[in-house]
């Protein structure tokens, strides 16, 4: 019974940390794009914004999953590691976004929240997932 209670406690802590990292991802994408992201997706039904945010959330989820899966025996060290790799993933996604913005014409954030589907959203979403895969692979 103690193992179950201990496991539930750890799952709660990792789950809470994962949710915090996902929320930070939402704020990051919101900061990188013009307007309010929630309004873009839920009120204006902007598919570009939804694909962009979804890719960031899946990427962060993948990083958190990998970090938990390969976690240290020490619970505290595992939590810190998961937080560190999750934050690194967010920073690297932001850097990749800014690099793509630099090497493409126009303002990427504004392009990604246009109402019409735009191919740049797929490039940026793929970049998010690639960065997440790279960070996940670096977790040992």
């Amino acid at each position: 019974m103690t193992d179950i209670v201990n496991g539930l406690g750890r799952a709660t802590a990792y789950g809470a940390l994962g949710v915090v990292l996902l929320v930070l991802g939402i704020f990051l994408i919101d900061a990188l794009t013009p307007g309010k992201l929630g309004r873009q997706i839920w009120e204006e039904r902007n598919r570009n914004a939804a694909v962009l945010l979804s890719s960031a959330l899946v990427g962060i989820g993948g990083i958190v999953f990998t970090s938990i899966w390969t976690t240290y025996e020490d619970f505290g060290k595992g939590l810190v590691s998961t937080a560190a790799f999750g934050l690194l993933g967010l920073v690297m996604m932001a850097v990749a976004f800014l690099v793509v913005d630099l090497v493409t014409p126009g303002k990427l954030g504004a392009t990604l929240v246009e109402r019409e589907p735009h191919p740049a959203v797929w490039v940026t979403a793929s970049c998010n997932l690639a960065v997440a895969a790279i960070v996940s692979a670096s977790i040992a």
Side-chain angles (χ1 to χ4, degrees), residues 1-134:
M1 188 66 161
T2 303
D3 290 346
I4 294 172
V5 172
N6 189 23
L8 286 171
R10 288 175 182 236
T12 301
Y14 279 116
L17 176 57
V19 168
V20 166
L21 290 167
L22 292 172
V23 168
L24 289 174
I26 293 169
F27 285 128
L28 175 67
I29 299 300
D30 194 26
L32 292 171
T33 55
K36 296 301 286 173
L37 188 61
R39 181 168 299 142
Q40 288 282 341
I41 295 170
W42 281 272
E43 292 177 16
E44 297 180 26
R45 298 179 179 268
N46 186 317
R47 290 182 182 159
N48 288 336
V51 169
L52 177 63
L53 179 58
S54 296
S55 69
L57 295 177
V58 168
I60 291 302
I63 292 169
V64 170
F65 170 85
T66 304
S67 186
I68 293 169
W69 189 261
T70 62
T71 194
Y72 299 96
E73 289 294 320
D74 179 337
F75 174 61
K77 194 173 182 182
L79 273 178
V80 170
S81 171
T82 300
F85 281 107
L87 291 171
L88 174 64
L90 288 169
V91 168
M92 296 308 296
M93 283 181 193
V95 168
F97 182 96
L98 295 172
V99 168
V100 171
D101 188 25
L102 282 174
V103 300
T104 56
K107 292 300 294 170
L108 183 60
T111 300
L112 296 177
V113 294
E114 289 176 358
R115 295 284 298 151
E116 294 299 314
H118 198 288
V121 75
W122 294 104
V123 172
T124 307
S126 296
C127 194
N128 281 341
L129 297 176
V131 166
I134 291 165

